[in-house]
Amino acid sequence: MDSPRPAGPADAFQTAETCWQKEYDARLGAARPVRNRSGIEVKALYTPRDWDGARYLDALGFPGQPPNTRGIYPTMHRGRAWTQRQLIGLGSPEDYNQRLHEILAAGGTAVQLVPCNSVFRGLDADQVDPVLLGTCGVVVNTVEDMEACLRGVPLEGVSVSLNDPSPFTLLAMLLALARRRGVARAAITGTSNQSDYISHFVANHMFFRLSLPGARRILADHVAFATRAVPGWNPVSVVGQHMQQAGATPAQTMAFTLSTAIQYAEDCIVRGLAPDAFLPRMTFFFDISISFFEEVAKFRAGRRLWSRITRERLGACDPRSWRFKFHGQTSGVDLTRQQPLNNVARATVQAMAGIFGGLQSLHTDAYDEAFGTPTAEAARVAVSTQNILREEAHLTDVIDPLGGSYYVERLTDQMEEEIGRTMAQVEAAGGMYAAVESGLVQKLIGESALAFQLQVESGEQTVVGVNAYPVQEASGPRLGQPRPDPTAIDTQLARLRAFKTARSGAAVTTALDALAAAAQDPGQNVFERVVGAAEAGATHGEIVAVLRREMGSGEPLVAV
């Protein structure tokens, strides 16, 4: 007869866990499952049974080393904190310039320019109703406008991010301005933000400028031009923000974003570019929701996946190509018009999720952004929020401080699995471009948006001040930046007319004809001609009009 086996550590663990589970069940009974926004069930407690560190080197490694889960640089925020890149879009170029200098003085460290919706649609200021101008971005149609926006800002010393859908006239004007100032293109740094045309067709509804195939051609040409002529520039910013704000879950957002990045990378490879020539300059832009741990896990999983995709699928050999560099913006969708000061707390939690997720730059929303363009006071609080997190709260002392948490590591693995499932759906549809053309991506986003809205309406998802803890709020004028001064808009329109009168009409015509010819010739680089047109004095609307004529207008892609 065998003698009884002495109790070991595993038995003691089992005994303790069983005891805890019994007491937990007795207190809570059959509690309903808790799921995060991506649909992953979240347990009440995580232990070494969920993640024990045996796969440490394969799953985590060290910062700056594959699979980059813990960060893309060895020093991360200890060596260099994130860039404070506040979105600014406001009235006339002079209005923008004044706000920009206020933000830089308050702690901002980079320039972010958001143009007026008329610019997003490919129009000049004299082509729309003046009452619409400058209400949700700055009016920028010419090199003169760009100069007014960036007056007093050294182009060779500050990173500039331009929110500009295809065909990137803002960068062309920036390069024309640099030429005027005698600044070499090699000294220009920044990002063609919002250059992800797929996200505009899928989720941002800013597809007006060009047809889908035309936008695809110009993005590849843009990358080729920047790689050769503006080496410090990031020509592609793959935007997950639009899709998450449209209703995609965090896991879906990461999946669609990575699938889009694969599509762009493979288009560039077909265009003749070597992966290691352009991948180091590819960047990402994400929304950060208030689902704190889920967002941290989303970024850690995305970083791990991109490291593997670039090496194994795209054939990149340069470690810089494996880096998943991303900008994070606290989610405006989570902000409420009710009790708007609560939005300071929301933006703070969201910012912390992005920081612990390992972002490279950050925009914190102002508490009044549910009403429109931020007021000066709200914008200053948004900047100060970042200053406090960085300089008072010591969030930069430790790299990946949540690494090793049983919960965070298990959730990172689960998010990676969930992201992989959605990417497989896109792959089965023929890749992101084909999946968008067929409406698959829009359908999945729509279903997720509806499911979340029903959770809010049923009270399953609490939104403080909306479906819980309401207060009686005073009626009367609401927060928000007032509309631009009509006199300033009239001055802007007069300046546009004067610009057109003073320039060389012959030079503009020659440059636009060359642009049209390039659009019909696959052997030419269209973006190079866009730059030439801007330098010759063509306006934003004139450049887009030529391309729209040659390549077709953007049309909505309806979900099926």
Side-chain angles (χ1 to χ4, degrees):
M1 180 176 177
D2 295 337
S3 58
R5 182 172 59 87
D11 298 309
F13 185 97
Q14 181 64 56
T15 299
E17 184 181 42
T18 302
C19 179
W20 166 79
Q21 187 70 56
K22 186 176 179 181
E23 293 184 8
Y24 177 86
D25 292 343
R27 291 172 185 268
L28 285 188
R32 64 173 176 79
V34 174
R35 297 184 183 277
N36 64 20
R37 293 188 179 187
S38 296
I40 295 171
E41 184 171 346
V42 178
K43 300 185 347 179
L45 183 71
Y46 288 79
T47 71
R49 289 192 191 280
D50 298 289
W51 201 87
D52 63 6
R55 298 188 300 116
Y56 182 88
L57 284 179
D58 290 337
L60 298 186
F62 287 86
Q65 297 178 16
N68 289 339
T69 308
R70 308 203 68 181
I72 60 172
Y73 300 117
T75 58
M76 287 302 289
H77 297 149
R78 262 233 175 176
R80 178 182 177 185
W82 62 89
T83 303
Q84 285 188 242
R85 195 181 290 278
Q86 292 298 109
L87 291 167
I88 309 171
L90 188 70
S92 69
E94 286 73 19
D95 295 330
Y96 172 87
N97 184 260
Q98 179 182 341
R99 176 68 64 85
L100 172 61
H101 282 286
E102 291 171 358
I103 294 293
L104 292 175
T109 55
V111 172
Q112 184 93 313
L113 189 152
V114 181
C116 176
N117 256 349
S118 62
V119 178
F120 263 66
R121 286 170 166 76
L123 303 173
D124 281 341
D126 56 3
Q127 295 176 287
V128 300
D129 188 331
V131 76
L132 300 175
L133 294 173
T135 55
C136 53
V138 59
V139 181
V140 186
N141 297 151
T142 67
V143 179
E144 303 284 347
D145 293 338
M146 182 62 74
E147 184 167 31
C149 285
L150 300 180
R151 189 161 291 134
V153 177
L155 297 184
E156 62 275 48
V158 177
S159 175
V160 179
S161 188
L162 303 169
N163 285 31
D164 190 22
S166 174
F168 320 117
T169 49
L170 293 185
L171 175 59
M173 291 171 189
L174 179 69
L175 295 178
L177 176 60
R179 187 178 184 184
R180 285 187 183 184
R181 292 189 185 180
V183 177
R185 287 177 175 174
I188 303 296
T189 61
T191 302
S192 291
N193 207 9
Q194 309 277 350
S195 55
D196 173 3
Y197 67 87
I198 283 179
S199 74
H200 289 283
F201 276 87
V202 169
N204 203 32
H205 307 299
M206 285 295 172
F207 45 77
F208 304 95
R209 281 197 192 177
L210 281 180
S211 64
L212 188 67
R216 186 181 195 177
R217 158 87 186 276
I218 291 186
L219 180 62
D221 282 3
H222 181 63
V223 175
F225 176 89
T227 301
R228 171 174 52 82
V230 198
W233 193 258
N234 302 319
V236 181
S237 171
V238 190
V239 185
Q241 183 208 31
H242 296 155
M243 291 183 273
Q244 187 156 312
Q245 294 206 339
T249 68
Q252 283 178 328
T253 295
M254 183 58 72
F256 294 143
T257 307
L258 292 177
S259 296
T260 302
I262 291 171
Q263 182 73 66
Y264 293 161
E266 293 183 341
D267 282 354
C268 287
I269 291 170
V270 170
R271 175 75 170 68
L273 297 174
D276 287 323
F278 67 88
L279 283 174
R281 308 305 305 184
M282 185 175 276
T283 62
F284 298 85
F285 181 173
F286 287 99
D287 200 52
I288 311 171
S289 79
I290 201 167
S291 184
F292 180 84
F293 291 103
E294 185 177 3
E295 291 293 339
V296 172
K298 177 183 83 175
F299 294 130
R300 298 173 92 247
R303 200 158 41 230
R304 184 190 297 169
L305 281 162
W306 185 242
S307 174
R308 189 162 68 236
I309 290 166
T310 50
R311 286 178 288 139
E312 298 177 2
R313 175 164 177 164
L314 302 177
C317 299
D318 187 339
R320 295 177 304 162
S321 300
W322 309 338
R323 294 172 178 166
F324 183 78
K325 296 186 294 186
F326 73 96
H327 170 78
Q329 178 176 348
T330 59
S331 180
V333 171
D334 286 340
L335 304 185
T336 65
R337 294 171 68 89
Q338 297 88 343
Q339 304 174 42
L341 288 176
N342 291 346
N343 293 330
V344 177
R346 293 188 175 99
T348 303
V349 172
Q350 294 164 338
M352 290 175 65
I355 293 165
F356 290 153
L359 50 70
Q360 278 61 62
S361 64
L362 173 63
H363 165 94
T364 36
D365 284 334
Y367 62 79
D368 61 358
E369 285 194 40
F371 299 92
T373 301
T375 57
E377 180 195 40
R380 188 174 63 253
V381 171
V383 175
S384 294
T385 300
Q386 293 196 44
N387 295 340
I388 291 167
L389 293 176
R390 185 186 62 246
E391 298 177 25
E392 292 187 29
H394 294 271
L395 298 193
T396 62
D397 287 356
V398 175
I399 300 170
D400 189 29
L402 299 181
S405 155
Y406 302 130
Y407 173 35
V408 170
E409 298 303 351
R410 175 61 181 150
L411 187 57
T412 299
D413 290 346
Q414 289 177 298
M415 288 292 282
E416 181 179 354
E417 293 164 7
E418 192 65 29
I419 293 163
R421 272 191 285 275
T422 301
M423 290 182 73
Q425 282 183 276
V426 173
E427 195 72 19
M432 192 65 178
Y433 191 91
V436 168
E437 276 190 311
S438 72
L440 171 67
V441 176
Q442 298 92 313
K443 177 176 178 291
L444 293 175
I445 292 175
E447 290 172 350
S448 296
L450 177 61
F452 185 75
Q453 183 60 34
L454 292 176
Q455 289 177 0
V456 173
E457 292 178 4
S458 69
E460 182 180 350
Q461 171 65 54
T462 296
V463 182
V464 173
V466 177
N467 63 5
Y469 312 108
V471 297
Q472 187 69 38
E473 298 187 79
S475 58
R478 307 296 304 220
L479 296 169
Q481 180 75 19
R483 282 182 172 275
D485 181 356
T487 304
I489 295 300
D490 288 343
T491 302
Q492 178 67 21
L493 288 167
R495 183 163 60 194
L496 178 60
R497 288 192 292 270
F499 176 85
K500 289 182 176 179
T501 300
R503 66 187 176 175
S504 166
V508 171
T509 299
T510 299
L512 292 179
D513 287 346
L515 176 61
Q520 296 301 324
D521 181 359
Q524 292 194 50
N525 187 307
V526 174
F527 184 72
E528 186 164 2
R529 297 300 185 184
V530 171
V531 175
E535 291 181 338
T539 67
H540 164 75
E542 291 167 339
I543 292 171
V544 175
V546 168
L547 292 171
R548 190 177 281 146
R549 185 187 71 212
E550 301 297 327
M551 296 178 154
S553 300
E555 300 292 340
L557 299 173
V558 179
V560 294

